[in-house]
Amino acid sequence: MAKTMTLTEHAQPLRTLSAAELETYEEQGFVTLEDVFPQADVRAINDEIERLMPEHGDRTANRPGWILQLGLRSELLGGLARDERILSLIEDIVHPGIAVHSAKLVAKVPHSDIVCHWHQDEAFYTKPDDPKTHSQTRMSIWVPLQDANEANGCMWVVPGSHRWGLQDYEIMDHGACIRKLTPEEYADEHAIPVPLPAGSMLLFHGMLWHHSKGNSTDHVRRAFIVSYQEATVLSDNAQWKLIRPAT
Ligand SMILES: O=C(O)CCC(=O)C(=O)O
């Protein structure tokens, strides 16, 4: 019989963003937090991903090892997207109410030169002509499931770029994130890497310019990424899930 995996009970009281962390998020467009999930949870999540991979793992050239619609494929990982440890950290950013926009596993297989091009998540989420897709608070959390560093393809960001609005992009035929920002050279010049230990968290604004490079190591680099938006945005995205109603 398949073993049922569970996550650890979360600590009480739940952690919220400090005033300084919230200020960093507002000014820089991102903030990092260490030790959000204990290593026992990171192991349980990786075990669940191994279980899902044969059936649901992406085998395309651009996104090997990714799993889209992750929250819908696993009770454990759907529950993780609704985990109070995450919600209490984002509730001062995402309001009124909280809804999931999407949840997925993003991966860098060993010895891969597949980049995730410079992009803004909003370029994928907002349809300019459809007000139902316009969110004021949309943001993502990115939780590395292995220590992420420059060698295995950690995230890179351009601090403050969330303030500059939606940028022009071109559609690429290769790479994991195909809506590539056209100010790419500017991004490369002003970017900083965001290395993070497994179980920590990068919280970032839907407009923040970000990307990741290849993985030159012998081991996979995975991350659980969930995008949230205020519950009043009635997206027609099939994955849209209300977590906390707007009160
Ligand atoms: O994990 C990565 O390499 C980047 C993923 C990403 O930026 C995204 O899916 O929007």
Side-chain angles (χ1 to χ4, degrees), residues 163-208:
R163 296 171 181 275
W164 306 335
L166 209 51
Q167 304 290 314
D168 290 338
Y169 58 81
E170 59 187 297
I171 307 271
M172 306 300 287
D173 60 5
H174 66 283
C177 311
I178 57 169
R179 296 186 182 208
K180 179 166 78 87
L181 285 171
T182 44
E184 184 189 22
E185 278 177 25
Y186 181 92
D188 279 333
E189 203 178 314
H190 292 85
I192 57 165
V194 188
L196 279 179
S200 53
M201 187 185 284
L202 166 67
L203 287 81
F204 64 101
H205 193 284
M207 291 279 195
L208 188 75

Side-chain angles (χ1 to χ4, degrees), residues 37-54:
F37 292 101
Q39 293 310 304
D41 282 355
V42 172
R43 278 193 298 276
I45 298 166
N46 272 313
D47 287 350
E48 178 71 343
I49 286 163
E50 292 296 342
R51 189 183 72 77
L52 297 171
M53 198 53 75

Side-chain angles (χ1 to χ4, degrees), residues 66 104 106 108 116 119 121 142 155 210 212 221 225:
W66 286 42
K104 59 192 185 211
V106 285
K108 302 262 176 205
C116 168
H119 69 283
D121 287 348
W142 186 90
M155 287 279 243
H210 61 285
S212 60
R221 187 239 72 190
I225 180 168

